[in-house]
Amino acid sequence: DGGITQSPKYLFRKEGQNVTLSCEQNLNHDAMYWYRQDPGQGLRLIYYSQIVNDFQKGDIAEGYSVSREKKESFPLTVTSAQKNPTAFYLCASKTAGYGYTFGSGTRLTVV
Amino acid sequence: QKEVEQDPGPLSVPEGAIVSLNCTYSNSAFQYFMWYRQYSRKGPELLMYTYSSGNKEDGRFTAQVDKSSKYISLFIRDSQPSDSATYLCAMTGGYQKVTFGTGTKLQVIP
């Protein structure tokens, strides 16, 4: 079945540590997105990529980095520069006008 | 002012009730309107999708778009406990990024 796979489901980060969240899709979608979800704030766009080897900053890109070396993969790194990384992270892919297909999310907690 | 406004709720209704969920928006470039359902600790799933103004029905769900008023609605008939979730409205001009509402938490009480 086609879909988006995010891993891990739960992730714990120590202060000063970089962590990478995985996102893989087999839908053959060109565009991929990373969102952060916090209670009461809805989904906020971190980064997006419309084609391989190209990506753009979203509304809250500071402290995050991405790569898009393959169409199927769009990993997100949460760096030590992100001061409040505890959140639910959602990866999505999209074809024009048809809305998003979301992964099941990664819950990141700072310990 | 946010581009998309959505009442956060929570909204609590008895089983069998008709539920009305609403969003307003300010960007007249939006043409595609969506409703997502998100269960706790899960990713959102696309529930309804409409293009431009009008109504769309799918089983117990009806989506309405009024572009002149910049107002969209989702109606749930004969609500069930399994409908308990957070409902997110979303909209886009097409190739641009999608803008989401903050979500309305719905609880259907048996």
Side-chain angles (χ1 to χ4, degrees):
Chain A
D1 288 337
I4 295 183
T5 301
Q6 287 188 244
S7 62
K9 196 172 181 68
Y10 298 97
L11 187 57
F12 298 91
R13 193 194 92 167
K14 294 181 180 178
E15 295 285 346
Q17 193 178 45
N18 292 356
V19 291
T20 297
L21 284 59
S22 171
C23 177
E24 303 280 333
Q25 56 107 349
N26 60 3
L27 299 165
N28 200 34
H29 287 170
D30 290 314
M32 296 187 73
Y33 302 77
W34 274 105
Y35 281 89
R36 169 178 171 145
Q37 188 174 34
D38 297 279
Q41 295 199 53
L43 274 67
R44 293 184 290 167
L45 182 63
I46 303 172
Y47 267 99
Y48 64 103
S49 168
Q50 294 181 315
I51 56 172
V52 175
N53 292 322
D54 187 51
F55 48 82
Q56 285 77 41
K57 293 181 179 180
D59 301 318
I60 56 164
E62 186 175 349
Y64 300 97
S65 66
V66 294
S67 62
R68 186 84 185 278
E69 297 177 0
K70 298 186 300 182
K71 187 174 184 178
E72 301 79 18
S73 180
F74 192 38
L76 173 74
T77 296
V78 184
T79 74
S80 57
Q82 172 49 240
K83 297 307 177 188
N84 185 24
T86 295
F88 190 48
Y89 290 86
L90 289 160
C91 179
S93 68
K94 176 178 176 288
T95 55
Y98 286 93
Y100 285 158
T101 300
F102 282 92
S104 56
T106 293
R107 186 163 299 277
L108 174 63
T109 304
V110 175
V111 296
Chain B
Q1 183 188 4
K2 290 182 179 178
E3 265 191 313
V4 178
E5 299 276 1
Q6 184 174 9
D7 187 334
L11 184 61
S12 185
V13 301
E15 183 175 353
I18 296 173
V19 176
S20 173
L21 304 166
N22 311 294
C23 288
T24 59
Y25 64 95
S26 57
N27 189 341
S28 55
F30 290 148
Q31 297 186 72
Y32 299 89
F33 302 91
M34 292 146 283
W35 286 94
Y36 288 84
R37 178 175 62 195
Q38 185 177 23
Y39 292 113
S40 182
R41 301 174 191 254
K42 300 288 186 184
E45 55 178 330
L46 183 63
L47 196 60
M48 297 285 286
Y49 161 82
T50 53
Y51 171 69
S52 195
S53 285
N55 294 0
K56 185 173 184 179
E57 189 172 317
D58 184 1
R60 296 184 295 110
F61 298 90
T62 299
Q64 285 186 351
V65 174
D66 182 349
K67 290 189 72 178
S68 62
S69 302
K70 296 189 176 65
Y71 188 88
I72 70 170
S73 300
L74 177 71
F75 296 96
I76 307 174
R77 292 182 298 281
D78 188 24
S79 55
Q80 302 295 309
S82 59
D83 295 328
S84 298
T86 296
Y87 290 80
L88 302 161
C89 64
M91 44 202 81
T92 177
Y95 284 93
Q96 299 88 347
K97 67 175 185 177
V98 174
T99 302
F100 288 85
T102 52
T104 299
K105 188 170 184 178
L106 171 67
Q107 184 180 18
V108 180
I109 302 168

